[in-house]
């Protein structure tokens, strides 16, 4: 390993150790709340911030809805988000059975992991998720 690589690695470790867990969790919750706020106008959509009891204990946004009003499954939402531009990846538990990490499941459940997002990406996710869900609302 070159000296520059070691210096970079040490700097990254120093940065990581300097992070304040409470401040990071507050930021994750704010991201989840911003996404949830963009979905409020869609009929039957409910949102909840959920911290899994197992695995990484970071806030996730759970989105559930009445499939008799919003005619799309969570798995279909996951695919539409992947196919969009930019490509958006939801938690793999979206639309499936409850995950082993403690995340709830169901065909009408969308799981958004906000902890890996960069600043501003929550708004991109919120806009696209709103488009996908609103486009599936039956009259």
């Amino acid at each position: 390993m070159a000296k520059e690589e070691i210096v970079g690695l040490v700097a990254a470790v120093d940065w990581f150790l300097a992070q304040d867990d409470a401040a990071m969790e507050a930021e994750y919750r704010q991201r989840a709340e911003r996404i949830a706020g963009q979905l409020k106008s869609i009929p039957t959509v409910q949102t909840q911030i959920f911290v899994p009891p197992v695995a990484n204990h970071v806030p996730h946004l759970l989105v559930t809805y009445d499939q008799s009003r919003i005619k799309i499954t969570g798995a279909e939402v996951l695919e539409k988000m992947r196919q969009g531009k930019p490509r958006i990846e939801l938690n793999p538990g979206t639309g499936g059975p409850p995950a082993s990490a403690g995340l709830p499941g169901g065909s009408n459940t969308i799981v958004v992991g906000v902890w890996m997002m960069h600043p501003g990406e929550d708004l991109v996710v919120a806009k696209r998720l709103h488009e996908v869900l609103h486009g599936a609302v039956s009259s």
Side-chain angles (χ1 to χ4, degrees), residues 14-48:
D14 286 346
W15 173 85
F16 177 77
L17 293 174
Q19 299 308 299
D20 177 348
D21 286 346
M24 289 174 68
E25 181 169 338
E27 174 58 29
Y28 301 153
R29 286 181 179 277
Q30 288 174 355
R31 291 174 191 170
E33 288 168 3
R34 284 190 290 268
I35 296 169
Q38 293 296 313
L39 304 177
K40 279 196 255 186
S41 66
I42 303 173
T44 77
V45 166
Q46 295 182 346
T47 59
Q48 172 191 358

Side-chain angles (χ1 to χ4, degrees), residues 1 5 16 21 25 34-35 40 46 49 52 59 62 72 77-78 89 93 120 122 127 129-130 132 134-135 137:
M1 195 180 273
E5 291 173 328
F16 177 77
D21 286 346
E25 181 169 338
R34 284 190 290 268
I35 296 169
K40 279 196 255 186
Q46 295 182 346
I49 296 174
L62 298 180
I72 192 168
V77 171
L78 185 136
E89 194 66 35
D122 53 334
K127 179 181 179 196
L129 193 52
H130 183 278
V132 170
H134 189 265
V137 173

Side-chain angles (χ1 to χ4, degrees), residues 104-124:
S107 64
N108 68 331
T109 302
I110 299 165
V111 183
V112 183
V114 296
W115 60 279
M116 292 181 65
M117 294 179 182
H118 293 277
E121 289 180 344
D122 53 334
L123 299 176
V124 174

Side-chain angles (χ1 to χ4, degrees), residues 1-11 13:
M1 195 180 273
K3 182 178 180 181
E4 295 81 22
E5 291 173 328
I6 293 172
V7 170
L9 181 60
V10 170
V13 170

